[in-house]
Structure formats: C-alpha cells, structure tokens
Amino acid sequence: MKEKNWKPLLLLSPSLTAVFLLLVVPVCFVVVYSFWLRAPSGQDIPAFQFGNYAKFFADFFYPSILLNTLRVALETVILCLFLGYIPAFFFYKTQSRLKPYLMLLVMLPFWISFIIRTLSWINILGDSGLINHLLLKAGFISAPLSLLYNEGAVIMGLLQYLLPFMILNIYVSLDGIDKSLTEAAQSLGCTEWQAFKEVTLPLSMPGVSAGCLLVFVLTCGTYLPPMILGGPGNEMIANLIFKRVIGTLDWPFGSAISVILMLLLGLIVYTYNRYMGINQIFKSLSNG
Amino acid sequence: MGNDFEKRLKDVHESYSQGNISRRDFVKFVGITGATLGIMGGPFGLVKQAFSGSKEITVHSWGGSTSEALRKFAFDPFTKESGIKVIDAAFTGMDAFLTQVKASYPPGGEFNIAHLSAVYDYARYTDLDFGVVLDETQIPNLKNVMTKMTDTLRGISKGTLSAVPYDLGQTGIAYNTQKISKEDAEKLGASLLFDKSLKGKLGSWGGDFRTNMWYAALHTGQSPNNITDEKAVWEALKEQRGLIKKYWASGSELMSLLGNGEIYATVAWSGRVAALQKQGHPIGYLAPDGTYSWMEYMYVLKGTDLAVAQKLLNFMLEPEAAIAVALGQNYPTSLDPTKVAMPDEVQQLPAFDPTGKLDGYLFADPGYWNGHQLEWAEKWDRIMAG
C-alpha cells in the first residue's frame, strides 16, 4: 500500500520539479521583491515593508487601470461567448464529413505567431488599411475611419487571440451531451428552440463558464494587443507592470502590482472552482 | 539569442518590405536560416562553440540599419583582421537592456559592449557600477573624437571613461510635407507638436518621458534642462494627449506611422527621418531652437575582456570604419571634422557639426533628468493613460 502512495509522486517528480523551479520559485521571487525598496539610482534595497502595496491603493490611478483591465476582460468575454457559441453549436450539430477540417480552422490561428497576428490588424484597420481602402474606393466614406489605436481595435486583437479557447471549451461541453435528450424533449412537445433553451444550453454551461474563465484570465494578463493596437488611454495592467519593471527599473513596485493581479485572479479562479469545478477546463483542453 | 534571431529576421523582413531584397532572396534567407538552426543550433552549436576556443565579444545595438552598418563596416572587417569574432546582438530598447544587465548582475561576461544613447544613461550605468575604466592608451584613435563628447562622459565617471563616444543625433520633429508646409512648420517650431488642427494626426514616443517633457518645455517657452513651471509642462502634455493618435514604441513603428500617413507630425530620431527621406517619403525634418541632441557611445560593461574590447573600439574609431558606419546609420560620427576630413554625404546628415565643438547643441543634463526620473516617468505614464 505504501509503495502505491509514492509511485505516482515519483512519476510526477520531473513535472513537479519543473513546475517548482520554473513557476513556484519565480513567483516567490516576485513576492519577496514586492516588499523591497527601490533606490533613486535604480538599485533594489532589501526590506520588509508594505509601501509598494500602499502606494498602489493610495492613488486611484493604479486601481483605475486594474478596473479598466477588468472591464475590457469582461467585454472580451461577452463578445467571445456570443461569437464562440454559434460555431461550437454548429460543430456539435453538423454531420458533415468536413467537420474535422472545420475544427482545424479553429486551430489554424495557433500556427501563426501571436505577434504577427496582432500586427496584421494594422494592415486591416489602419487609415490606409484594407477596410478604409475598400470603403473609400466604393465611395461610402470621404475620409478614413479611425478604426485603429482605440479600445475597439484592442478588443478585436483580443478576440482573434482568445476566440478559439472559447469555441473549444463550449464544443467539448456540447459534445458530451447525449443527443437523445433533445430528441426526447422534442418528442414530448418542445419546439427546437425550447429544447435548446431547456436542455442543451443548461447542459453546456460548464463549458461556457470554463471558456469564460480562461478568456477572462488570459485577457487580464495580456500585454501585446493594447501595446500594438491601443491608443492613448487603452493601457492595461500588464502594460503598467512592464513600464514599472522595464521603464523605471522599479522592480519592487512592479512586483507588488503583479502580486495584486495574481491574488485577484486567484480569487476569481477559487470562486469558480468552488461553484463549477476547475476540472472542466482541463477536460476541455485535453479533449480539444 | 532568441531575441537577436527575431531581430535579425525583422531586419530582413524590413529590407524585403522596402524592396531592397527580392521575394526570392527573402524566402531563401528564411529557408536557409531555418535549416541552419536545425542542423547547427541547440546542443551541436554549443558543443562547437565550447571546443572552438576562439575569442569573441558581444556588442548590443539598436538592430535594423544601425546594426547592419556596424556589422558590415566595423565588425566583419575587424574579425577579418584580428580573428576575434564579434557577436552582433540587438536590444529592444535602452530600458529593457538595462533591466537585462541588472538581472545578470554580478556580471558573468554575457554582456560586453552596448551601443547606448544619451548621457543620462551613461550616468545610470555608472551609478549602478556596471562600467569599467578604459585604458585610453590602448585606444589611440580616441584622440580624433570630439573633445566635448569625451569631456562630458569624463565628468560623470570621475575623469575616466567607461565608453567611447561613437555618433551623435537629434530628436527633432518629422512632418508630412504634403499636409504641413515648410513655412508653417518653421513658424510653429516645437508648437507644431501641440497644434490643435492636427488632432488625431499627431504621434509621439511613448517610451520616454524626457523627450515629451523636453518639447513641452520648448512649447511653453522654458529651458528643457531647467523647467521652472513644471505644471505648465504637464498641462501642455495633458492637452496634447487628446491630439495624439499613437504613442509609438520603436523606430520601426515610427517609420511605419509616418510612411503610411497614419500621423502627420511627431518627434522623431534624425537618422530615421533621413532613412525615410532616402526611401522617397514626403517627410520633412525640423530642428527648432533647443532641439534635443544626444550622443551615442560604446559602453563597456563589467566582466568584459578589456584587451579585446579596447582593440575593437580602436578599430571602430578608424576614420574609414567610422565614416562608413555613419553613412550606413544616417548619424554623424563622433570624430572631430577639424581633425578628420568628412565626405559630403556625412556633412549633409542631420546633426552634423562642422566645427567639432557642438556649441549650439543642447544635450540633456544627466543630473537634472536622472534626479527626477522616477517621479516624472510615473507622471508621464499617467498622462498617457489619461
């Protein structure tokens, strides 16, 4: 019996070592740094004080960027949900032989670098980009529309990055639903819409919430779309951390902001796990 | 290596976009690079390097045409002459590089020479004790460098040198000549960057509070190195924010925004403007009174083989190499034109000073700017974030 207990641990030890060295240790460093001080020359002074955390909350500028990040994350989640549920439902219902290839299309963006995908929006949304070019050529507008360097462009960049995560999560959840349940509901008098509303939708909720959580967490930590596609005022919390760490060499304060973000996201994940169960995400990812 | 490789790929892509190389050559380069990485990269590359025993030195620079010129006209000829390999690396920005150097402290020799810009960064590296003391007798070509440049650096590092000045440039104002006339630009001067009629068509460098405060100081009639009415500067920048379309983050982005007509006016590095003009873009360059001037230097970091570094620096200061690099980078060399004859092409570069005295050039006072760095950088972040 004792032998059985340590065998899984032994098998897991390479992974656990990697996680410990590459995740736990760096996070501990960040936490320790968050209590340090920064000298005017940029050097770090070891200390144990909460000044960096107090600085964050004493000045509304920093929480406002965090709130802005949460708002953008929420908007992205809602858009991803609406845009992701429809194709996921289509994949679930379709009997087409092309289904595997259509599913492949969802994965296709992952084959291209995230930076390149984000940069490509400049050629689509810019003043001399594809959309403005076509609208100007067609005579619908006389001057280019401001489509780039604003929040809309940032959310567009986030959507193209995160939509596959939402689609795959929902699809995996839908795929696990016994199709005879909806048939039974319809045979008992439900319309197709009622069967969807009363049977399919509730049963797909674990996938929906898993997708929402993944999209939300990934958006909160994103850095590139606001930097490349955003304009003045579209800064998110990851950009702020970058500026504090790289721009002003203020590692202690940058670490404190990172810890605050980490705790907030940890709280969200904990809440989710308590009510929905975190295993749904792993199920979706492994099946996806 | 990853960043360096990515930068190199971007450079080739930039050359392809500009039509300097054909599509066939571009695809060929990418293919050969991939195959080479597959065969020679990873463990095989490391083993090969470990057994080679050859001397080498790493130089970090700005990438793009700057690194290309250094590689072609300084590093390759140096390697050919001395047998010492020069690893040409690129950083994404001065702040990011300083973070990397700081993270690698105490020095293990992974960072050797950095092509840094502006005197305040010389002061930052020196204050952090990252520099070395160069043996000037081993760099005889240093005698040809403009005295004002070396004296400025000596003033920071207690009479010694941790770097050799290499080139100089300006952050002036670039404007689209099809949208803004030369007369209007000259009449407005620094205030062109705050012109309300250009709302949504202005840009600025988001990564540097100094540049933005500098021009706001000029706009509000103050000396950038002694801002007396700080509030007026922040108010001007706050107002300007509403006119800005994009705070750009890199030289490539600056060129793209100007070249594509996304913005009509912005602060801009003189060499990048010269590059755009060479490519035929309708971009004018304005250097109003008090234009932000800066010098670039080759900073030698602690842990570097000094004998090798000094040998390379001396080679880089040979007139033939320095002039060729200057032409490739579009920035005038640090060599004194009264001591070394400069060709016409160099004399026509923005920021060139035929007197070699740099009397009319306004540089950032390192003590003044570094003393306010943390406070002003944070305030600048607030302005950008609204």
Side-chain angles (χ1 to χ4, degrees), chain B residues 23-62:
Chain B
R23 187 173 60 183
R24 186 181 288 262
D25 284 345
F26 175 67
V27 173
K28 200 163 69 184
F29 172 83
V30 174
I32 290 170
T33 307
T36 310
L37 272 179
I39 297 164
M40 297 304 292
F44 292 109
L46 292 174
V47 170
K48 185 178 157 244
Q49 194 180 324
F51 282 95
S52 67
S54 62
K55 280 192 174 176
E56 59 183 36
I57 190 163
T58 305
V59 181
H60 279 80
S61 185
W62 294 85

Side-chain angles (χ1 to χ4, degrees), chain B residues 108-261:
Chain B
E110 56 271 57
F111 297 108
N112 302 139
I113 298 179
H115 185 192
L116 301 177
S117 182
V119 181
Y120 53 78
D121 254 338
Y122 185 90
R124 282 210 288 174
Y125 277 79
T126 305
D127 287 348
L128 287 163
D129 198 26
F130 290 166
V132 299
V133 176
L134 291 174
D135 179 358
E136 293 179 36
T137 60
Q138 300 301 308
I139 315 172
N141 285 326
L142 199 58
K143 67 178 187 297
N144 289 329
V145 173
M146 285 184 248
T147 316
K148 186 171 178 180
M149 294 175 91
T150 46
D151 284 351
T152 307
L153 301 186
R154 279 185 219 282
I156 297 164
S157 44
K158 296 172 186 162
T160 63
L161 283 178
S162 301
V164 296
Y166 202 63
D167 54 78
L168 71 155
Q170 288 178 329
T171 304
I173 299 171
Y175 61 96
N176 188 320
T177 51
Q178 288 176 343
K179 305 290 178 184
I180 301 162
S181 70
K182 191 180 176 197
E183 294 72 33
D184 284 348
E186 283 173 354
K187 192 176 148 198
L188 284 166
S191 298
L192 178 67
L193 298 168
F194 299 82
D195 187 1
K196 286 178 183 147
S197 69
L198 293 174
K199 187 176 179 176
K201 285 294 173 188
L202 287 170
S204 193
W205 184 16
D208 187 42
F209 69 95
R210 302 170 198 89
T211 304
N212 290 280
M213 289 186 73
W214 188 282
Y215 277 96
L218 292 179
H219 171 61
T220 54
Q222 303 185 69
S223 162
N225 278 327
N226 182 25
I227 296 169
T228 47
D229 188 356
E230 203 186 306
K231 198 179 166 197
V233 166
W234 293 121
E235 283 303 320
L237 290 172
K238 231 184 265 180
E239 204 174 311
Q240 186 200 41
R241 181 188 164 277
L243 312 175
I244 295 281
K245 179 164 198 177
K246 179 73 178 168
Y247 288 112
W248 46 268
S250 67
S252 308
E253 196 178 12
L254 157 71
M255 289 175 76
S256 162
L257 287 164
L258 280 169
N260 292 334

